[in-house]
Amino acid sequence: MYPEQNMANSKALITQGWNGSLGSWVVYTGTTTTLRFYGSSNNSSWNIASDFDTGIAKWTGSWKHFAMTRSGSTIRFFIDGVLKNSINYAGSFYTVDQQIAFGAGTGGSNPINHMYFEDCQVSNIAKYTTTFTPPTQAQGRLYQAES
């Protein structure tokens, strides 16, 4: 991710099914200096996580490699290959029929402006479970950086 300007408050960096109030999960800019995580298993409350501190400080003017993984019951948050924080949850997230969105605003409106995303990947395996060296080239079928 490369934010050219300050990460504004109340913006979803990455989300699945967030409709401005609830959904499945969201990595959110919030009103603090760090990125926040919300997760729901029931779509009536953020019962998995509510305003959880990922440990990743907001930044501007440079590329950073962001990764969020889940292996077993552990959800991990990485920046530039360094594990910043994790949270445990053994159950399932709320199931939604919506795609994963990058840079969405509240309910998909008012998106993040002046931010670039490159080489986004969604995988059904947790590539990173510990500190790793971020990839230095496109990760096609033949080149996959893993921890």
Side-chain angles (χ1 to χ4, degrees):
M1 291 186 254
Y2 187 107
E4 284 189 315
Q5 297 178 354
N6 222 1
M7 289 185 184
N9 296 336
S10 305
K11 305 291 184 183
L13 290 180
I14 302 170
T15 181
Q16 182 179 27
W18 182 46
N19 63 12
S21 59
L22 284 165
S24 184
W25 57 266
V26 60
V27 176
Y28 188 69
T29 59
T31 58
T32 66
T33 59
T34 59
L35 302 181
R36 314 307 273 189
F37 176 71
Y38 290 76
S40 177
S41 68
N42 57 26
N43 201 33
S44 9
S45 67
W46 293 115
N47 62 317
I48 297 171
S50 179
D51 202 34
F52 177 78
D53 185 353
T54 66
I56 299 172
K58 293 179 188 179
W59 76 95
T60 59
S62 64
W63 282 102
K64 292 196 182 277
H65 183 274
F66 169 83
M68 176 181 131
T69 66
R70 181 175 185 182
S71 178
S73 62
T74 306
I75 303 163
R76 294 176 179 90
F77 302 91
F78 299 88
I79 198 73
D80 287 337
V82 177
L83 175 64
K84 290 300 194 174
N85 208 349
S86 63
I87 187 171
N88 289 313
Y89 179 70
S92 298
F93 285 97
Y94 177 70
T95 302
V96 294
D97 292 331
Q98 296 179 4
Q99 298 172 341
I100 293 176
F102 295 87
T106 304
S109 64
N110 194 18
I112 293 176
N113 294 319
H114 308 287
M115 178 176 272
Y116 299 97
F117 295 88
E118 184 174 292
D119 292 332
C120 301
Q121 290 190 0
V122 178
S123 174
N124 63 353
I125 60 167
K127 289 175 58 172
Y128 310 122
T129 56
T130 187
T131 297
F132 62 95
T133 301
T136 58
Q137 62 189 40
Q139 296 189 70
R141 290 179 44 210
L142 299 178
Y143 174 71
Q144 289 289 317
E146 297 180 12
S147 64

